[in-house]
Amino acid sequence: MDIELRGITKRFGEVVANSNVNLTIRAGEILGLLGENGAGKTTLMNILSGLYRADEGEILIDGTPARFDGAGDAIRAGIGMVHQHFMLVPVFTVAENVVLGVEPTGRFDRLDIEKAREQVRQISAEYGLEVDPDAIIEEIPVGIQQRVEIIKVLFRSAYVLIFDEPTAVLTPQEVTEFFAIVRSLRDAGKALVFITHKLHEVREVADRISVLRAGQIVGEGDPKTATDADLAEMMVGRQVRFEVEKEPVQPGDVLLDVSDLNVLDEREEMAVNDVALQVRAGEIVGIAGVQGNGQTELVEALTGLRPLLRGRVSFLGEDVTQASARRRHQLGMAHIPEDRQRSGIIGEFNIAENMVLNSYYDERFSSGPTLRWLDVYQQTAANVAAFDVRTSSIFDHADHLSGGNQQKLVVARELSRDIKLLVASQPTRGVDVGSIEYIHKRIVEARDSGVGVLIISTELDEILSLSDRILVMFRGRIVAEFDGDKATVNEVGLAMAGVTAEQAA
Amino acid sequence: MSDDPKRETLSRELLKRAVVTRFTVEEVVIVPIFAVIVALILGGITMLATGVSLGTIQAAFGSLFTGSLGSISALSETLTAAAPLTLAGLGIALGFRAGLFNIGAEGQLLIGGMAAVVVGFSLTGLPLIIHLPLALLAGALFGALWASIAGWLRAATGAHEVITTIMLNLISFRLVDYLLRSPWIQRPGRADPISQSVLESAELPRLLLWIDTNLRLHAGIFVMLAAVALIYWLLFRTKLGFEFRSAGANPDAARYAGMRSGFLIVAVMAIAGALAGLAGANQVLGVLGRASPNFSAGIGFDAIAVALLGRGHPIGVLLAGLLFGALEAGGRQMQVSAGVSIDLISIIQALIIVFIAAPMLVRTMFPWAFQKERPADKGASRAPPSQPASEESG
């Protein structure tokens, strides 16, 4: 089944999300759709999957114009979407999740779960997905959960599968397995669309690449010949440097000294287990690990947002184990939180208010009980200009900024004062290539000026390109340490999956 | 070096105020106006449906207007009714801003009013300049203490403030009944629960006696205006207000920023309680002169509607308080001259709140007054920065 999008235009008010987009999706082919956040990828795919209707243009299925009045129409036409955030019921089994909404029923509407399990098993075997229909969703790893999403789409007889940023939550090894699945789906004659902003992935798996920028298709690429640099230039509209330029590390005094750290998560289970680590002035320490291995709890414990079960944290020689987040902030600890939407910014506040979110009490911005807004505005305008936050006014609401600009706002806030240590958790998650480059540059600059940096990231590339020293976290423990210059993707990737050096040898 | 002047100009550019968007204007101004109009129309339809003749309906709306705005006396009544509504509404609005839903204004108002009455009749021989502020202060203080109980329970144990403030309301009703029968409060020689009268030195002076001795407008109106200014200053000019707003808009971000959530909860409740207590004091010292069971007369509940209609903004609350005061005053006139029950006013007030709470409903009813498509669509709202993504200097 071939699909053609012809002249698709979609506007939201005055904002043009897609402008005259032409795109062909062919059976037996993997189309890589590349673009920065906010380039209009998701809008385009939401039009294709029936969630939005295009203002102009048409969708042709095998040459016949189709009209979708909702997601149901698209599904019936054989178009299925695997969303970035899985839509699964955690306490249900795989089979129950797959049939949810289209349950095979017997007499008197009785749920025929036997039939459902059989069908799941069949699909699973056909494409080599290896999923147990009786497994409970919350007990299986994220990589398998993603396969359940794929089965869900296949179960609804999809011929066209759209994957929205499918590798964001996977380990490098899971990504390899995922690519194998995608290829087997292609070989079975399905048409696949792979939405991503990761260049090397799209080059590895796609048969054809289309690049979207500012709502328009700006180019096509052949994955065999195109280089990362070519694609990035198309995506961003200018040349992008990938290599982070760094001076050789010159570690200074120990700034942060953590020993015997144990932390519980919300469910009162051990999330951080006997962790010890040090960060020195002028070095970048990276903590690699698959999401959910205790990194969140570790960061919260270090920044004073979560009580410790046991252990000691000292910062600049002072015991801050019991110190509040405010106290640590005052001592010169900066924190880029992992989820800017949840805790890094306040969407309905303007940029200026967000710029002083954790330093408003400082004498730079307040006297007595009152805030000196004029000083806040001056400083914000200077920071916004210095950190390249794209906005027309500092009185804009933060949630009107794109993800990359929101993150630059957070980075500006944290780096624009005199700090000793930066704890950066997922500093470039959901951020476009241009902003990633910029944020990395600023972090390295901070390190060169003598700031100690602790980066926690699930993006292995990021850890490898920035870190002077790499620690790998697995199930709450630090399981491996590597020299930043010598570590390889494979070594660190294996450690992230819990395979120790001895086991691998 | 050529970078610096460029950055300077950019900074100056950034300091320009953003233009108020059409959408904001619609939300803040047009929706409330339509809500009021539709509620009045539906109020008329309600009368029609219950067999009230067209002539009477006309008379009812006529007297609603003349009773609220039509004369000096009407204006005096409107302002007198608006003062406690605005005061208590400010407290509730402050709670909204900080993410707390304080249902307890009614109880806080009763407790504060009682305290003001007690101070008002028991301290003798003081000049007005000392006695009145003392009585007002007592009202604010006891309202604050009463509300802090709910705040403390929330902060220390996580007990939800909606539940605890409702319970505290019920307790306060009975507590006031009990106190009104105790010998040191009850008026001598009376068997029914009624307090001694507030001394003249603690009364909020009437302001318009020089025009007509029946005009009830009193100095409480100044307390109200001062409170509006104070809460505006607190919310938008102080560190504490910034913390309140942060905690309300995004508690996780407030915690991340090192704000003390427990302290903030207690502080917000205390200030809200103080305002409700002032509303109670305003009633007993300015209008009633004594306390009797249910002297709060539902003001604490109407104030929730006032805070909602005022969008949690001090100026909005003032305007909403004036509107509700006008409805109150006009409603009484309506009952007298058109014979339509004042309960209709409650219906109209409730309808206003329904339409305020459901702006989409208003937008659908009057599509011509609003922009066709709004960019607040979830999927797109991340995408549209004010300039296209392709704008790039290099």
Side-chain angles (χ1 to χ4, degrees):
Chain A
M1 188 165 103
D2 294 347
I3 291 191
E4 197 185 339
L5 301 176
R6 216 182 261 171
I8 298 286
T9 298
K10 177 72 183 169
R11 298 182 200 90
F12 295 103
E14 281 151 38
V15 180
V16 182
N18 288 144
S19 162
N20 193 24
V21 172
N22 296 303
L23 198 69
T24 343
I25 301 163
R26 299 191 197 103
E29 193 180 69
I30 302 169
L31 171 68
L33 184 58
L34 202 56
E36 296 196 290
N37 289 313
K41 293 171 296 185
T42 306
T43 304
L44 186 62
M45 288 305 122
N46 281 339
I47 289 170
L48 184 54
S49 58
L51 291 173
Y52 295 156
R53 185 156 342 132
D55 296 326
E56 285 162 36
E58 54 184 355
I59 301 172
L60 304 169
I61 299 180
D62 287 332
T64 352
R67 188 187 150 85
F68 300 148
D69 281 326
D73 287 351
I75 291 168
R76 273 186 290 280
I79 297 170
M81 185 141 171
V82 176
H83 291 273
Q84 192 176 354
H85 301 287
F86 303 154
M87 301 179 179
L88 299 168
V89 184
V91 294
F92 279 13
T93 66
V94 170
E96 285 166 344
N97 267 288
V98 168
V99 299
L100 195 63
V102 286
E103 301 88 350
T105 48
R107 230 188 303 179
F108 301 120
D109 212 33
R110 188 185 62 82
L111 177 62
D112 192 350
I113 196 69
E114 224 11 84
K115 193 168 160 200
R117 289 168 60 198
E118 191 40 53
Q119 281 168 315
V120 170
R121 220 171 271 132
Q122 219 175 344
I123 296 171
S124 175
E126 195 177 334
Y127 300 99
L129 294 169
E130 294 173 42
V131 177
D132 173 12
D134 297 320
I136 308 283
I137 293 296
E138 60 186 358
E139 290 168 5
I140 59 179
V142 175
I144 307 290
Q145 289 181 13
Q146 186 173 53
R147 295 184 198 180
V148 177
E149 285 283 357
I150 297 172
I151 295 176
K152 252 169 80 177
V153 173
L154 293 171
F155 183 80
R156 287 156 179 77
S157 332
Y159 295 100
V160 180
L161 282 82
I162 305 165
F163 294 94
D164 190 6
E165 301 278 357
T167 58
V169 290
L170 305 179
T171 64
Q173 278 75 15
E174 282 176 325
V175 169
T176 314
E177 290 168 24
F178 170 73
F179 285 167
I181 293 168
V182 171
R183 288 195 188 97
S184 85
L185 288 167
R186 172 193 58 195
D187 297 341
K190 307 279 185 197
L192 297 121
V193 183
F194 182 92
I195 304 176
T196 188
H197 62 265
K198 293 187 191 167
L199 305 168
H200 60 103
E201 287 182 353
V202 81
R203 283 200 298 119
E204 187 178 336
V205 77
D207 298 312
R208 202 154 52 83
I209 300 172
S210 285
V211 183
L212 204 58
R213 184 174 82 226
Q216 288 175 308
I217 296 282
V218 288
E220 305 256 327
D222 181 345
K224 287 180 202 68
T225 55
T227 64
D228 277 0
D230 297 339
L231 294 172
E233 196 175 333
M234 263 194 256
M235 226 164 109
V236 184
R238 64 180 166 87
Q239 285 195 328
V240 178
R241 268 190 325 221
F242 288 96
E243 289 303 307
V244 179
E245 282 175 29
K246 282 198 311 185
E247 303 290 314
V249 63
Q250 288 172 326
D253 299 337
V254 174
L255 296 174
L256 182 74
D257 192 356
V258 179
S259 54
D260 188 30
L261 189 72
N262 286 271
V263 187
L264 298 178
D265 63 14
E266 275 83 22
R267 292 168 300 175
E268 303 275 300
E269 280 170 36
M270 195 67 100
V272 177
N273 225 325
D274 295 333
V275 163
L277 63 89
Q278 287 189 334
V279 181
R280 291 170 176 277
E283 71 166 349
I284 299 179
V285 178
I287 296 187
V290 182
Q291 203 174 340
N293 274 289
Q295 299 99 316
T296 305
E297 290 78 7
L298 173 67
V299 169
E300 289 183 353
L302 292 181
T303 52
L305 296 173
R306 184 181 284 271
L308 323 184
L309 185 66
R310 195 168 63 235
R312 186 169 186 280
V313 180
S314 97
F315 179 46
L316 301 172
E318 183 177 329
D319 185 348
V320 294
T321 313
Q322 302 297 331
S324 65
R326 175 66 51 88
R327 173 78 190 133
R328 293 177 212 221
H329 184 263
Q330 283 167 331
L331 284 172
M333 191 188 279
H335 175 199
I336 299 174
E338 67 172 2
D339 187 342
R340 62 175 167 272
Q341 303 278 3
R342 196 173 69 87
S343 57
I345 58 165
I346 298 182
E348 63 194 72
F349 277 18
N350 66 34
I351 292 170
E353 288 169 314
N354 275 291
M355 194 61 86
V356 295
L357 188 62
N358 52 14
S359 52
Y360 62 95
Y361 64 87
D362 197 314
E363 59 191 16
R364 286 181 296 158
F365 304 123
S366 65
S367 25
T370 55
L371 288 160
R372 293 197 314 273
W373 284 112
L374 276 180
D375 292 332
V376 171
Y377 297 152
Q378 297 287 354
Q379 181 68 46
T380 302
N383 289 354
V384 162
F387 284 80
D388 192 32
V389 181
R390 302 287 171 80
T391 177
S392 54
S393 162
I394 59 166
F395 302 101
D396 261 357
H397 283 199
D399 57 10
H400 292 167
L401 297 176
S402 70
N405 281 312
Q406 287 179 344
Q407 191 70 6
K408 283 195 270 187
L409 164 60
V410 174
V411 171
R413 181 176 71 210
E414 298 307 311
L415 293 184
S416 63
R417 64 186 185 107
D418 190 15
I419 58 166
K420 301 282 187 292
L421 177 78
L422 170 67
V423 179
S425 194
Q426 311 294 351
T428 58
R429 175 186 279 174
V431 166
D432 55 88
V433 180
S435 302
I436 290 176
E437 183 195 18
Y438 186 81
I439 291 170
H440 283 174
K441 204 176 93 197
R442 298 306 293 236
I443 290 176
V444 171
E445 273 173 25
R447 168 252 205 197
D448 291 343
S449 70
V451 171
V453 181
L454 184 66
I455 289 188
I456 297 86
S457 177
T458 52
E459 297 273 345
L460 193 44
D461 293 341
E462 176 162 58
I463 293 284
L464 287 169
S465 63
L466 286 178
S467 309
D468 299 314
R469 214 144 53 76
I470 298 171
L471 305 174
V472 180
M473 210 165 167
F474 179 70
R475 297 202 177 141
R477 293 177 188 276
I478 303 285
V479 292
E481 175 163 354
F482 299 94
D483 187 325
D485 295 335
K486 295 179 191 125
T488 66
V489 177
N490 202 28
E491 280 174 346
V492 183
L494 283 173
M496 282 165 72
V499 183
T500 58
E502 297 88 69
Q503 281 173 310
Chain B
M1 287 313 283
S2 70
D3 210 27
D4 277 345
K6 214 170 106 192
R7 204 175 269 175
E8 290 272 294
T9 18
L10 181 56
S11 291
R12 253 197 308 279
E13 197 65 21
L14 287 164
L15 280 166
K16 285 185 188 149
R17 288 272 169 183
V19 187
V20 179
T21 63
R22 174 83 197 264
F23 185 73
T24 318
V25 175
E26 288 178 354
E27 279 294 284
V28 177
V29 181
I30 304 184
V31 169
I33 290 174
F34 274 105
V36 172
I37 294 171
V38 177
L40 287 171
I41 293 170
L42 283 178
I45 294 174
T46 311
M47 285 192 269
L48 206 60
T50 48
V52 181
S53 74
L54 272 174
T56 316
I57 293 173
Q58 208 177 355
F61 280 122
S63 50
L64 187 60
F65 179 78
T66 51
S68 56
L69 301 168
S71 63
I72 300 235
S73 151
L75 279 170
S76 160
E77 284 304 300
T78 292
L79 291 173
T80 307
L85 285 169
T86 306
L87 281 167
L90 279 174
I92 292 166
L94 191 68
F96 287 159
R97 282 284 180 162
L100 292 173
F101 202 28
N102 169 18
I103 310 284
E106 185 81 355
Q108 294 145 23
L109 197 146
L110 281 169
I111 298 295
M114 277 307 288
V117 162
V118 170
V119 171
F121 70 70
S122 57
L123 299 179
T124 52
L126 293 174
L128 183 113
I129 197 100
I130 296 174
H131 198 184
L132 175 60
L134 266 183
L136 287 171
L137 200 67
L141 185 69
F142 275 80
L145 286 174
W146 193 250
S148 304
I149 299 173
W152 177 79
L153 284 170
R154 171 74 194 266
T157 70
H160 201 280
E161 74 278 1
V162 168
I163 310 288
T164 52
T165 50
I166 290 175
M167 292 303 145
L168 285 168
N169 279 347
L170 296 176
I171 295 170
S172 67
F173 299 157
R174 297 296 149 246
L175 185 63
V176 166
D177 284 358
Y178 173 78
L179 287 174
L180 286 174
R181 288 179 188 280
S182 66
W184 54 283
I185 290 179
Q186 195 172 20
R187 178 175 301 184
R190 288 289 286 262
D192 53 334
I194 196 153
S195 78
Q196 299 177 41
S197 289
V198 172
L199 298 175
E200 203 172 322
S201 58
E203 272 178 13
L204 285 158
R206 301 255 157 119
L207 300 174
L208 300 177
L209 295 178
W210 50 278
I211 299 176
D212 181 343
T213 46
N214 286 325
L215 294 178
R216 298 202 295 170
L217 184 68
H218 56 82
I221 201 83
F222 299 124
V223 178
M224 170 186 90
L225 290 173
V228 170
L230 186 76
I231 296 302
Y232 184 91
W233 175 79
L234 174 74
L235 267 178
F236 301 110
R237 295 280 180 268
T238 69
K239 295 192 278 188
L240 188 63
F242 187 68
E243 292 176 353
F244 285 166
R245 290 189 292 126
S246 302
N250 184 343
D252 283 318
R255 219 168 65 83
Y256 153 81
M259 301 172 187
R260 299 151 295 172
S261 64
F263 162 77
L264 290 178
I265 290 169
V266 178
V268 166
M269 285 306 287
I271 297 172
L275 287 161
L278 271 178
N282 178 85
Q283 285 307 87
V284 293
L285 305 176
V287 178
L288 306 167
R290 56 188 164 75
S292 54
N294 289 326
F295 70 84
S296 52
I299 290 168
F301 294 121
D302 290 343
I304 298 173
V306 168
L308 279 171
L309 182 59
R311 295 285 163 128
H313 193 286
I315 306 297
V317 171
L318 175 62
L319 296 174
L322 291 171
L323 173 70
F324 271 50
L327 285 171
E328 200 72 50
R332 280 195 295 266
Q333 181 71 39
M334 188 176 83
Q335 189 165 24
V336 173
S337 35
V340 173
S341 165
I342 197 164
D343 292 334
L344 184 73
I345 293 301
S346 304
I347 294 175
I348 291 173
Q349 288 177 342
L351 284 169
I352 292 175
I353 297 311
V354 169
F355 289 114
I356 290 292
M360 282 313 292
L361 197 59
V362 177
R363 284 173 183 276
T364 329
M365 287 164 83
F366 304 98
W368 42 266
F370 299 97
Q371 233 169 6
K372 280 280 174 304
E373 205 167 347
R374 59 198 188 109
D377 192 289
K378 196 71 195 148
S381 66
R382 295 276 158 262
S386 30
Q387 74 275 54
S390 57
E391 186 194 283
E392 180 63 59
S393 50

